[in-house]
Amino acid sequence: MVDVLGGRCLVTCDGAWVEAETALQNKVVALYFAAGRCAPSRDFTPLLCDFYAELVDEAQPPAPFEVVFVSADGSAQEMLDFMRELHGAWLALPFHDPYRQELRTRYRVTAIPRLVILKPSGEVITDKGRKQIREHGVACFQNWVEAADIFQNFSG
């Protein structure tokens, strides 16, 4: 993820800062473009929470997966409220980071919510992560891991 988020700091819903390179190393990364005021985002976010929890929080060992929220909210407070209300224990690009817009442009995000799945190199595995999770649940993760060339025993 050095190509995409290298050198950036990410934030947790508790306000803690983490270095992107450390947190995302050797993981499949899902960039989640969404906003709390968007009904489809509010509808999909709990499903993404369950997906993340099953793969990361409850699995032993945890799956090599991380979600990075890229907010389309109208203010930092709206973003924080959305994160605290509905999000899982994932990371976010800070609201005031202008890179949020660059990511929307780079990954051609024209509507939200959008879940773009990336290899550790930053190359896109799929920009249809939301649809795949809805249709296949955690089973789609194995395909993402294989596409990302991450070698780890994972059974989902």
Side-chain angles (χ1 to χ4, degrees):
M1 289 307 298
V2 173
D3 292 348
V4 177
L5 294 168
R8 302 228 172 249
C9 284
L10 302 173
V11 66
T12 67
C13 62
D14 297 328
W17 292 86
V18 295
E19 290 183 21
E21 293 168 38
T22 304
L24 306 177
Q25 184 175 8
N26 296 319
K27 293 182 179 179
V28 172
V29 174
L31 294 180
Y32 184 42
F33 299 88
R37 68 183 181 278
C38 168
S41 293
R42 295 183 71 77
D43 177 59
F44 177 69
T45 300
L47 187 62
L48 182 57
C49 283
D50 292 344
F51 181 86
Y52 182 89
E54 189 170 342
L55 288 173
V56 179
D57 297 336
E58 299 165 8
Q60 291 299 326
F65 180 65
E66 192 57 65
V67 174
V68 176
F69 174 50
V70 183
S71 176
D73 289 295
S75 70
Q77 189 60 53
E78 284 180 15
M79 174 184 160
L80 190 57
D81 291 346
F82 183 42
M83 289 176 67
R84 288 183 175 155
E85 180 186 353
L86 289 177
H87 283 209
W90 56 65
L91 304 171
L93 197 61
F95 183 81
H96 295 292
D97 191 328
Y99 195 53
R100 292 183 313 124
Q101 184 57 45
E102 290 180 43
L103 289 174
R104 282 197 287 274
T105 301
R106 179 176 183 169
Y107 295 109
R108 297 179 196 88
V109 176
T110 57
I112 57 171
R114 186 80 170 272
L115 191 68
V116 180
I117 310 302
L118 305 174
K119 296 180 180 183
S121 66
E123 184 181 341
V124 174
I125 295 171
T126 182
D127 63 357
K128 295 177 177 41
R130 178 177 162 223
K131 180 178 185 212
Q132 291 180 6
I133 288 173
R134 280 198 183 281
E135 292 178 357
H136 307 290
V138 294
C140 64
F141 184 72
Q142 186 62 40
N143 295 331
W144 299 346
V145 169
E146 290 169 6
D149 296 324
I150 296 175
F151 298 102
Q152 175 175 334
N153 286 334
F154 174 79
S155 57

